[in-house]
Structures are given as C-alpha cells and as structure tokens.
Amino acid sequence: MKAIRTLLACIRKADQTYNLINHGDKIIVGLSGGKDSMALLYCLNLYRKFSHTEFELQPVTLDLGFPGFNPKPLEEFCESIGLKLIVSDSKEVYEILCIQQEKQHLKHLPCSICSRMKKAAINKVANEMGFNKVAFAHHADDAIETLLMNQIYGARIATFAPKMHLENANIDFIRPFLLVHEKDIKSFVKEENIFIAGSACPADKHTTREDIKVLLNDIYHKFPKSKESFLSMISNYEQEDLWGNEIYYQINQEGLTLKPVVTPIDMWNVTNIRELVFRKEQNIPYLEDEILEEELEAKTYLIYLKDKAIGTIRYRYVNDAYKIERFAILKEYRNKGYGKQAFNYFVDMIAANFNPCTITLNSQEPVIEFYKKLGFIPEGEMFLEAGIKHLKMNKIIK
C-alpha cells in the first residue's frame, strides 16, 4: 500500500473518532517546511475531495526571525497544489528567545517559550482572517514522546489533545495526524517527492525530545509491539487503572478524609451536597458558574466521614490569591468539629503547596467569627452575593 493511502486512512479515522473537521470549517495549516507539516497540508488538501465535508484550507508560515529563513520554496509548493501561502511577520519571536536564552543561561533557545509564542502568533492570523481552526502536524510518535516527557519531567500522565478549544481566542487546535506514525510520513514524502525545507532553528535535533526519541527507539527495538500499545493506551479509558481515585487524605484517625474529585460519581456527590446545602437549605438560586469555565479551573474535593460524603470544598487561583469557595457540610454533620478540621486541613494543604501565598474567601455573615478564629482577616465592606451578605477575608501565608 502506498503511504498516501495510509496517511489518508489515519486522517479519516482521527476525524471520525475525535470530530476534528466539520462543514464550513475554515482551517489554517501551520506550515514550517518540515516533513510533517508539508505532508499534512498535502493530505488535507486531498482529504477535502473525498471526505464529503466542505471545509476551507489556508497554509500559513511564520517568519520567526531565524537567520536563513526563506519562504520561497514553501510558496512554490503551495502553488503546486492550488493554494496560496501567507507569510506572517513574527520576527520578534527570535529576538525574545535570544534574550530569554541569555537571561536563563540556557544551552539553546527555550523551546517551551517558542512553542507558546508560535501558537499565539498563528492564533492572531486566524482571528484576523476569520478562521475557526488551526491544524498542527503532531503525529502519533509525537504523542507518545510527549507522554513520556510528561512522566519523566512533569510527574504527570498526559499528552496533547486531538482537539483543544481556546476560549479567549475562540479557536480550535486540531491534530489530524494524531494516528499517523512518523515512518509513514517519511515514506510518503519519499514516494511523492515532497520538498522539505531544513529547519532554521539552531536548537533543531539538540533538544530533550531528541533524547526521548532515542530512548523510545531502543524500547521499540526490544519490544516491537510497544509502540502500538503506547498509542492505544492514550485513548484506552475503559482500562485506566491508576491511583488517583484511591486518594483519601487523612484528616484524623476517626475516618475523616479529603478526596480529590476524580470521577463522575465524585462530581455527582459534590452537586448533591451543594443542592442540599445551598439551594434547598439556604434558598440560593442556581449557581451558573458551577457549569462554566471557573468550575473547570477549580480544584474540588469531597469531605468524607468513613464511607459517607458529608461535605465539599474547592479552591481556584484568582487575582494572585488562592480563593476557597463552595465550602459546605451537610446539616446533620455540623457542630461536631468535622467542618473545622476539614477546613483547617484544606488551608494547611494550600499553604504547604504554595507557600508564600494569600488565601482568600467570601464569608457569609453568620460564619465571619468562625473564619476569624481560623486566622482570616476581614477586608472591605459587606456585600451581597446571591442575595446573602458576605465579607471578603484573607489569610497571608509566609
């Protein structure tokens, strides 16, 4: 089978599995000149013709200011497949990277800063042109490498997403090559005689990712089935079996614990407790922000007494402070010391993780004295929130 068929089949599967491309989409393809982005543009242009989905493509390359940048061959390639390349002036990126390299005493330009700035630059082009999606050429091997890098250097099990919505920019990032292996891209480029521009980045082939590539290639050589297993593992939600759902931080020795919200059942318990305490007991109207973006940014926890969820609490990082919110204990478990112990543990946990910091909360009027005794200091005047008097209170952790 020719490599082009393999690539197109993988694009179709990724599209149908992760809902990447829809009718009316206007998609910018980030074109670096490397094999991956050149292959992606070529394949997406073909995919338009048989996918039965009407969408528009626009190749964009960023002039990042790297010495030796020459967009002419990219323009000619785009013209050969009936597209016109847009070259966006982003020369300030190289200047900033050089400053950061010197400031941080790095051996090469900082890749993470470069990546963020490139995304911001291409988002700007998309917004100016009225395009709603940006396609990047990250492939299956990239996903596995990122997974391993996050485990080794970030202590987390994560890789990039097939599709990611950026709320502020109102842009979707999509990765149609997500299921494509790098060896098939190399075969495709050779078979179709696709022009490849050399990278202008001085750090090319001298990054941590290259070390990870070497490590993974050694694993693949010893265990040939491991590459497909790694790729399947990333989306194998049915077989996920990690320790996150087993965490119950011990508050005391009588069975009082603090559990991070991990599963849908956890969130159902949180919602049920809020419903009983805030809406039924206090007659507070429906809290819209519980289903908006701040709910996603919050770290939410359940308070357990043995096997019973008796309360909930969360925090968010807001205006340079860690804001405690939605603290609620079921009525039948109040005045027994459980809420105080759980709250003190929660504050100590935030302080231990982020010291020095400011912890803030908006206290309802009847419990202001409770928080004062726990070291929180009132700030400003009383105000109404959801029809109830509140007072902002802070605790400085040094």
Side-chain angles (χ1 to χ4, degrees), residues 43 79 86 88 92 106 210 219 224 264 274 297 336 350 366:
C43 291
E79 288 173 4
I86 290 177
S88 176
E92 71 280 359
L106 302 174
E210 289 301 315
I219 293 173
R274 288 176 180 171
E297 358 175 282
K336 300 177 185 295
I350 295 173

Side-chain angles (χ1 to χ4, degrees), residues 297-316:
E297 358 175 282
K299 301 294 184 183
T300 305
Y301 295 78
L302 283 162
I303 300 163
Y304 267 83
L305 182 62
K306 296 182 179 177
D307 59 353
K308 169 70 175 178
I310 67 168
T312 183
I313 193 168
R314 79 181 191 190
Y315 75 83
R316 292 185 300 130

Side-chain angles (χ1 to χ4, degrees), residues 105-116:
H105 307 290
L106 302 174
K107 292 181 180 179
H108 56 71
L109 300 177
C111 297
S112 59
I113 296 176
C114 183
S115 176
R116 290 196 299 271

